Amino acid sequence: MTTKELNILPAVTVSFGLGVIFATHLLRLRDRDRLRKACSRTQKHLTKRSQRAALGIDLASYIPLWRDKNYKQKVVVLGAGAFGTAMAYAAAQGGNDTVIYMRDADQCATINKEHRNPKYLSDFPLHVEGGSSEIRGICTLQELEDELSTPGVVILHALPCQLTPPWFKEHKDIIPKDALIVVTAKGLYLRTNQLMGHAILDALDRADQPLAFLSGPSFAEEIMKGNPTTLVVASDELFQAVRVKQMLSNFKTVRVFTSDDPVGVQLGGALKNPLAVGAGMVSGMGFGTNTLSAMVTRASSELRQLCIAMGGNPRTIDGLAGMGDLMLTCFSSQSRNQRCGQRLMKGERVEDIQKDSTVEGIATADVAIVYADMCGLELPIFRCVHSLIHKKITPEEAVLDLMGRRSRK
């Protein structure tokens, strides 16, 4: 090469590198736009406020309020099921003023009188040992409206996924526009194939309602037992995630980490469900730990691919919302999704299994395939689980398909 060619080589190399970086950035923008088009009907989720917060210049939101030492955060838990009860207990342990809303008046009366939930986790008292906070039950919309009118209220949402958007749409007039809604439901809204956050914003018809998403390996019964539990909370506005962390972490039995990746946290929490059904299928076929470990490892890789394609951070899948939750549901018999997979391999019908309890992984498997097709991804484990659920292939064909795939060159 001539001296002149050697002199321009570094410049060409730098230009090529910058071009690759710019092209990658454009692809990520395209993927995020694809996600918004697929998962949102209002198309109003990128507001000036969230853009400022993403750039770190929404300074007014970060100025702390001077509070009295006796100040207690008002926390309203929506839903008195097992996980709602556990979240109320965790919030009360943190010294917060905690109320839990339900429609059943008898259930509410028992919670207030006997300090236990007669329907779920009834063996565990709701009184916090050595604490000054009591969990109060409410069961009327007027009581709920009164509690939500408290300035700075935090709403811990623990309703079933498919009931969530309709509930928020029906009651949006009593939801304060500045109230932080912490979503604990790990699922997708099946009617519109939306992430839960987008479905809630559409239901409220608001673009800037503060939202956070709580996920991670967390069986409700183990939280009530006081087993050390770690969670992750994500929000586009990181200070909102910090609020939840401070509210729920007691640094003894519950510790919460923060994230700025709501997409990744939602996808990890929702799409681990069909993968857990697949783990149950592995056990139901009679295979052992070798097979199950291989399935979970490769499934996490597919989940990571989908997360990247839909605008999330792949590192989120490596953490509590991804691998943590995936291991919990795939290896534990407490998981309804895992038990469902076992029962399917024994010949039971989906309709009969769903009569006993809601299995999010069944319907979520359909949405996973919609997302995979939308992003142009192969995802063979997701597709095999989907096909087995709908009896499009036999277990033997599924094994041959996965094990006989051609290696990538």
Side-chain angles (χ1 to χ4, degrees):
M1 298 178 67
T2 65
T3 303
K4 184 177 181 181
E5 289 173 333
L6 288 174
N7 289 336
I8 66 171
L9 185 59
V12 172
T13 303
V14 171
S15 299
F16 178 76
L18 290 174
V20 171
I21 293 172
F22 184 65
T24 303
H25 177 66
L26 290 179
L27 286 173
R28 287 185 65 82
L29 289 178
R30 181 206 65 184
D31 291 334
R32 289 179 183 273
D33 186 59
R34 175 193 290 159
L35 172 63
R36 287 194 296 273
K37 288 180 179 178
C39 300
S40 173
R41 287 174 286 125
T42 61
Q43 297 295 295
K44 297 185 295 185
H45 302 318
L46 281 183
T47 63
K48 290 183 179 179
R49 174 186 176 190
S50 63
Q51 290 168 348
R52 290 198 304 271
L55 293 171
I57 57 177
D58 195 11
L59 299 179
S61 301
Y62 289 86
I63 299 175
L65 298 176
W66 291 100
R67 290 174 173 169
D68 186 88
K69 291 183 179 180
N70 297 321
Y71 173 84
K72 289 186 178 183
Q73 172 69 60
K74 171 59 68 68
V75 179
V76 177
V77 180
L78 299 179
F83 202 73
T85 301
M87 285 294 96
Y89 186 72
Q93 279 186 311
N96 303 289
D97 180 10
T98 307
V99 298
I100 184 167
Y101 170 74
M102 66 218 75
R103 292 182 298 179
D104 190 326
D106 293 334
Q107 182 186 17
C108 181
T110 302
I111 288 175
N112 289 329
K113 184 178 180 180
E114 301 180 14
H115 304 295
R116 66 179 184 87
N117 187 335
K119 287 188 173 182
Y120 302 92
L121 304 171
S122 57
D123 293 335
F124 297 94
L126 296 181
H127 175 73
V128 178
E129 292 284 340
S132 58
S133 299
E134 292 283 355
I135 298 173
R136 295 179 290 114
I138 56 175
C139 60
T140 67
L141 285 176
Q142 184 58 57
E143 289 176 308
L144 178 60
E145 184 174 2
D146 293 342
E147 297 291 347
L148 292 177
S149 65
T150 306
V153 65
V154 173
I155 300 172
L156 264 176
H157 154 272
L159 297 171
C161 290
Q162 305 315 310
L163 300 180
T164 293
W167 190 93
F168 275 109
K169 184 174 183 179
E170 182 180 354
H171 302 98
K172 64 181 179 181
D173 292 337
I174 67 173
I175 305 294
K177 294 183 178 180
D178 60 348
L180 172 60
I181 300 175
V182 183
V183 182
T184 68
K186 299 174 183 177
L188 306 168
Y189 189 41
L190 305 177
R191 183 178 176 185
T192 53
N193 295 337
Q194 286 178 293
L195 296 176
M196 194 52 59
H198 290 164
I200 290 174
L201 291 179
D202 285 348
L204 292 172
D205 196 23
R206 299 172 192 167
D208 56 356
Q209 182 78 43
L211 292 178
F213 303 90
L214 188 68
S215 191
S218 49
F219 285 136
E221 183 176 349
E222 296 193 14
I223 293 175
M224 298 298 292
K225 286 180 177 178
N227 292 357
T229 300
T230 54
L231 303 166
V232 61
V233 60
S235 177
D236 283 323
E237 299 171 298
L238 191 58
F239 77 96
Q240 299 286 17
V242 173
R243 285 181 66 192
V244 180
K245 171 185 175 179
Q246 295 174 337
M247 181 181 81
L248 293 179
S249 295
N250 60 39
F251 300 103
K252 292 181 181 179
T253 60
V254 176
R255 180 164 184 167
V256 181
F257 295 87
T258 58
S259 167
D260 60 356
D261 182 22
V263 171
V265 167
Q266 289 181 86
L267 286 173
L271 296 182
K272 63 92 172 53
N273 291 323
L275 296 176
V277 174
M281 291 174 173
V282 169
S283 298
M285 292 180 201
F287 298 126
T289 310
N290 284 4
T291 312
L292 183 57
S293 299
M295 180 267 176
V296 172
T297 304
R298 296 306 304 165
S300 69
S301 176
E302 293 188 11
L303 187 53
R304 194 178 296 109
Q305 292 177 50
L306 189 55
C307 178
I308 293 171
M310 297 188 70
N313 188 332
R315 287 180 296 179
T316 301
I317 305 303
D318 296 332
L320 293 168
M323 281 301 298
D325 222 356
L326 186 62
M327 287 191 292
L328 180 86
T329 51
C330 288
F331 288 99
S332 175
S333 60
Q334 294 186 58
S335 167
R336 289 177 303 204
N337 291 291
Q338 198 254 24
R339 294 198 303 270
C340 170
Q342 292 189 20
R343 293 173 65 179
L344 285 172
M345 292 301 97
K346 292 177 181 178
E348 294 189 50
R349 299 190 310 160
V350 170
E351 296 79 9
D352 296 331
I353 297 173
Q354 292 274 50
K355 289 179 182 177
D356 298 335
S357 60
T358 300
V359 181
E360 290 288 351
I362 295 294
T364 307
D366 297 339
V367 184
I369 301 306
V370 171
Y371 285 177
D373 291 340
M374 179 183 71
C375 297
L377 297 174
E378 195 170 6
L379 307 187
I381 294 178
F382 272 106
R383 293 186 187 277
C384 273
V385 171
H386 178 263
S387 296
L388 284 170
I389 288 173
H390 295 286
K391 299 189 182 300
K392 295 180 179 179
I393 59 175
T394 65
E396 293 76 16
E397 289 172 335
V399 174
L400 288 174
D401 178 60
L402 292 173
M403 295 300 292
R405 299 178 64 80
R406 296 182 63 182
S407 301
R408 294 181 181 178
K409 294 183 180 180

